[in-house]
Amino acid sequence: MRYLVTGGAGFIGSHIAEALLARGDAVVVVDDLSSGREENLAALSGDLELIRGDVCDAEIVARAVRGVEAVFHQAAVPSVAASMADPLRCDEVNVHGTVRVLEAARAAGVGRVILAASAAAYGDDPELPKREDMLPRPMSPYAASKVAAEHYVRVYAELYGMRNVSLRYFNVFGPRQDPASDYAAVIPKFVTTLLGGGRPRIFGDGEQTRDFCTIGDVVSANLAALECEHARGQVLNVAGGRSITINELVRALNRVLGTDREPEHAEARPGDIRHSRASIERARDVLGWSPRVSVEEGLLRTVEHFRKAG
């Protein structure tokens, strides 16, 4: 089979591409390399084609979807901070780019688009755990754009019979996550800071909670969504199903690394949510998926990767 991974040179997209290639599938990657990196694909072996370009470019997307069975749509402006700095670009990529991908897939007879949605949709609703039937409360342009993309994915499923699914990722981490990005996720940034002898910086008091999920579990959720025939138009949480505070995360990393460095604290960032924990019952029921790797094991694997890379 042949599949398209938009944003496939990024952290999550490259891992999806790697898993597909390992199965013997052919993979087309579309990435403008604004946040993805070619080195994420360099070590992958198999039938892989990289098309450098933007998902907002109709010609590129139309070319990329030809002959594919399904699309893993990972391409996006990747963060709250980036969206607040440039809301128009966020809307262009995350909303209009998604519609462009959906329309190109429909026109080419591609029956399935799997969207990388986001737990940011839940905003700061105090109810825990976060369930897919809760009313979205986006607190940033990024979150609003991801909710809009989910609606388009559902509408295309209902109107055109596509077997589309939106997977709401919570806090994904693992090897190949870029710690040097201005918008880097907390775990790779903390790991590289601690490995370099520094003190990790926490925005706020550190008692905010996050639900972390390893990259391997996120990939397995995408593959389950690819095979599932009764998830059409649904939104499904993909998470570990439990949360820890950022202060606890620093302590866990100190244990893994054998260090004992206290974090430094900075002012909380606007748009950041306070608490997050997912209900993953729907993903279990619909996809037959559940996370297999604990946060602790995931941290060990992530630290090992950065030690080797360093």
Side-chain angles (χ1 to χ4, degrees), residues 127-179:
E127 184 177 348
L128 294 174
K130 308 298 186 186
R131 302 182 323 276
E132 295 90 342
D133 59 1
M134 293 169 63
L135 183 68
R137 292 179 56 178
M139 296 173 61
S140 65
Y142 170 78
S145 71
K146 284 295 191 178
V147 172
E150 287 180 3
H151 285 304
Y152 272 110
V153 165
R154 176 185 54 79
V155 166
Y156 267 73
E158 292 178 355
L159 287 182
Y160 305 117
M162 299 174 73
R163 299 183 300 281
N164 301 335
V165 184
S166 294
L167 301 181
R168 276 186 185 163
Y169 301 157
F170 278 64
N171 294 85
V172 187
F173 74 100
R176 291 208 293 266
Q177 214 166 4
D178 184 5

Side-chain angles (χ1 to χ4, degrees), residues 172-240:
V172 187
F173 74 100
R176 291 208 293 266
Q177 214 166 4
D178 184 5
S181 165
D182 289 340
Y183 312 115
V186 64
I187 288 178
K189 189 163 280 188
F190 282 5
V191 169
T192 53
T193 297
L194 288 165
L195 284 172
R199 296 170 58 196
R201 174 180 292 182
I202 294 176
F203 293 96
D205 62 7
E207 288 304 298
Q208 62 267 43
T209 59
R210 296 293 181 265
D211 188 335
F212 291 101
C213 189
T214 65
I215 183 60
D217 284 328
V218 170
V219 170
S220 68
N222 275 271
L223 296 181
L226 176 65
E227 304 300 333
C228 184
E229 294 302 326
H230 50 273
R232 175 176 292 171
Q234 293 203 44
V235 176
L236 304 169
N237 289 337
V238 173

Side-chain angles (χ1 to χ4, degrees), residues 22-272:
R23 300 189 335 169
D25 296 314
V27 176
V28 180
V29 165
V30 170
D31 203 305
D32 65 1
L33 303 180
S34 59
S35 57
R37 299 181 297 168
E38 280 192 89
E39 51 262 44
N40 285 339
L41 302 174
L44 306 189
S45 59
D47 187 351
L48 174 67
E49 177 186 3
L50 171 61
I51 301 174
R52 297 188 189 183
D54 194 323
V55 291
C56 297
D57 187 318
E59 291 185 7
I60 284 176
V61 175
R63 169 187 161 195
V65 298
R66 290 188 199 122
V68 306
E69 294 295 319
V71 179
F72 296 86
H73 183 39
Q74 308 296 304
V77 170
S79 79
V80 168
S83 77
M84 294 178 74
D86 192 349
L88 290 175
R89 177 60 179 166
C90 178
D91 178 79
E92 180 183 9
V93 176
N94 294 4
V95 182
H96 294 277
T98 297
V99 177
R100 182 74 67 192
V101 168
L102 287 164
E103 183 59 15
R106 183 183 73 86
V110 179
R112 193 184 310 251
V113 174
I114 300 168
L115 173 70
S118 173
Y122 295 110
D124 212 12
D125 188 321
E127 184 177 348
L128 294 174
K130 308 298 186 186
R131 302 182 323 276
E132 295 90 342
D133 59 1
M134 293 169 63
L135 183 68
R137 292 179 56 178
M139 296 173 61
S140 65
Y142 170 78
S145 71
K146 284 295 191 178
V147 172
E150 287 180 3
H151 285 304
Y152 272 110
V153 165
R154 176 185 54 79
V155 166
Y156 267 73
E158 292 178 355
L159 287 182
Y160 305 117
M162 299 174 73
R163 299 183 300 281
N164 301 335
V165 184
S166 294
L167 301 181
R168 276 186 185 163
Y169 301 157
F170 278 64
N171 294 85
V172 187
F173 74 100
R176 291 208 293 266
Q177 214 166 4
D178 184 5
S181 165
D182 289 340
Y183 312 115
V186 64
I187 288 178
K189 189 163 280 188
F190 282 5
V191 169
T192 53
T193 297
L194 288 165
L195 284 172
R199 296 170 58 196
R201 174 180 292 182
I202 294 176
F203 293 96
D205 62 7
E207 288 304 298
Q208 62 267 43
T209 59
R210 296 293 181 265
D211 188 335
F212 291 101
C213 189
T214 65
I215 183 60
D217 284 328
V218 170
V219 170
S220 68
N222 275 271
L223 296 181
L226 176 65
E227 304 300 333
C228 184
E229 294 302 326
H230 50 273
R232 175 176 292 171
Q234 293 203 44
V235 176
L236 304 169
N237 289 337
V238 173
R242 68 184 185 95
S243 57
I244 65 172
T245 69
I246 301 303
N247 289 328
E248 288 170 337
L249 173 65
V250 172
R251 291 193 288 270
L253 283 170
N254 271 314
R255 288 194 300 272
V256 170
L257 289 162
T259 53
D260 187 21
R261 298 194 184 94
E262 291 294 322
E264 58 184 28
H265 291 267
E267 186 176 347
R269 296 179 296 191
D272 279 357

